[in-house]
Amino acid sequence: MKRTTYARYAAAALAGTTVLAACGTESVGTAPKDVATFADTLADTSWVPRKVTVDGKDYVLPGKGALKKARITFKPGTADPDTGGGESGGSVGCNSIGADVDIRGDTVKVSDLVQTLIGCPGAVGEFEEKFVAVFDNDLKARLDGPPGARTLTLTSPEHDTITLREEKPPALKGTRWSLGENAYLTLTRNDTVTGSLGCNTFHGRATVKSGTDNDGTIEFGRLATTRMMCAGPVMKTERHLAGILDGKVSYQQEHDSLKITKAPGKSVTARAE
């Protein structure tokens, strides 16, 4: 997470207990038989904060812009006591949040929480304030719903709650993937690709072969491009992108990011628009 200026919080641990129930639903109860399942579910999922309930009053994340930006992820790792924040966290619509996370069994320990200090107006700022106040606590975790449509509820000792919903990753095909300023590509279902290299547009063949864990290969045919001349730096970027989108490449999709690799040291990471 890119950091600018932070306000540091004395972070508390997040405690979660869950048990696998019938019909693919996970709910609060005793520790599950396979505690790794719970840890993997949290760590492998991007969570969208939707609602905070404080003293019985609901605060819903407002606006499409904030909802599009808001994402919370849990990435366990060894905490660095000399560095503020960590790889876990994300945003609840305005500021960025970072923390160290240690997942042991069904317990999530969050420490060293930091936050950027952007002024957030109106309802977005109020929602963020409530979220951080509840999040900075000892929380009980509950999962409901089948994979792909799960809800994560975090409950504080004061019985305030945060409700987050599982983000469904964008489809590899049919999504417009941003490659940078004015550059993008879209893979179609009939094994073609269209897009822009930043100045010139292109189209051609692109055959996708899926592997495992959201990765695989793409075989690009010769791309047909327009022949406009642009400023030097733009043309340099075009040549770089054209060199990657050529022949057989590997790809790896993680949530809304798509990394395309031609060779070691020669790759580009795209973001879903």
Side-chain angles (χ1 to χ4, degrees):
M1 184 187 73
K2 184 178 180 179
R3 301 182 179 85
T4 52
T5 305
Y6 296 97
R8 183 164 181 166
Y9 291 83
L14 301 179
T17 54
T18 181
V19 61
L20 297 181
C23 302
T25 299
E26 300 172 7
S27 59
V28 144
T30 57
K33 293 180 180 180
D34 184 5
V35 293
T37 300
F38 181 71
D40 290 345
T41 297
L42 290 186
D44 293 342
T45 304
S46 180
W47 301 97
V48 181
R50 300 304 299 270
K51 182 177 69 174
V52 179
T53 303
V54 178
D55 295 331
K57 182 178 179 180
D58 292 339
Y59 299 85
V60 179
L61 182 65
K64 293 182 180 180
L67 185 61
K68 184 177 180 180
K69 179 180 178 182
R71 297 292 183 275
I72 297 294
T73 58
F74 299 93
K75 297 182 179 181
T78 303
D80 184 348
D82 298 323
T83 302
E87 295 301 319
S88 294
S91 172
V92 293
C94 183
N95 281 287
S96 295
I97 297 170
D100 291 313
V101 164
D102 180 19
I103 300 179
R104 297 187 181 184
D106 59 359
T107 299
V108 182
K109 294 184 178 182
V110 176
S111 62
D112 204 14
L113 185 67
V114 297
Q115 181 183 13
T116 55
L117 294 174
I118 301 171
C120 308
V124 175
E126 183 179 34
F127 179 87
E128 182 175 271
E129 180 182 355
K130 300 297 182 183
F131 181 96
V132 171
V134 177
F135 194 68
D136 185 17
N137 237 315
D138 292 346
L139 305 173
K140 294 290 184 180
R142 169 175 169 168
L143 282 171
D144 294 292
R150 285 170 290 210
T151 297
L152 171 63
T153 305
L154 303 173
T155 304
S156 75
E158 295 75 29
H159 305 292
D160 298 326
T161 61
I162 296 173
T163 302
L164 307 99
R165 293 183 182 172
E166 180 178 10
E167 179 187 28
K168 185 177 181 180
L172 176 64
K173 293 184 177 182
T175 296
R176 176 164 156 153
W177 297 96
S178 173
L179 298 167
E181 187 174 0
N182 299 322
Y184 65 89
L185 66 81
T186 302
L187 298 161
T188 69
R189 298 187 183 280
N190 61 345
D191 292 334
T192 63
V193 62
T194 61
S196 170
L197 296 172
C199 175
N200 287 284
T201 59
F202 66 86
H203 67 275
R205 300 291 296 175
T207 304
V208 177
K209 292 186 178 180
S210 300
T212 59
D213 297 328
N214 297 317
D215 60 15
T217 63
I218 304 172
E219 182 82 35
F220 288 102
R222 185 175 180 180
L223 299 181
T225 69
T226 54
R227 297 183 178 277
M228 295 175 57
M229 292 299 296
C230 299
V234 176
M235 297 307 295
K236 182 178 179 180
T237 298
E238 285 213 350
R239 289 191 293 271
H240 174 70
L241 290 176
I244 294 174
L245 308 181
D246 179 33
K248 190 174 183 179
V249 302
S250 62
Y251 76 85
Q252 184 173 28
Q253 183 180 351
E254 182 177 353
H255 303 309
D256 62 346
S257 70
L258 177 67
K259 184 176 183 179
I260 300 174
T261 302
K262 175 68 175 179
K266 193 174 184 180
S267 66
V268 62
T269 299
R271 298 286 180 183
E273 295 184 349

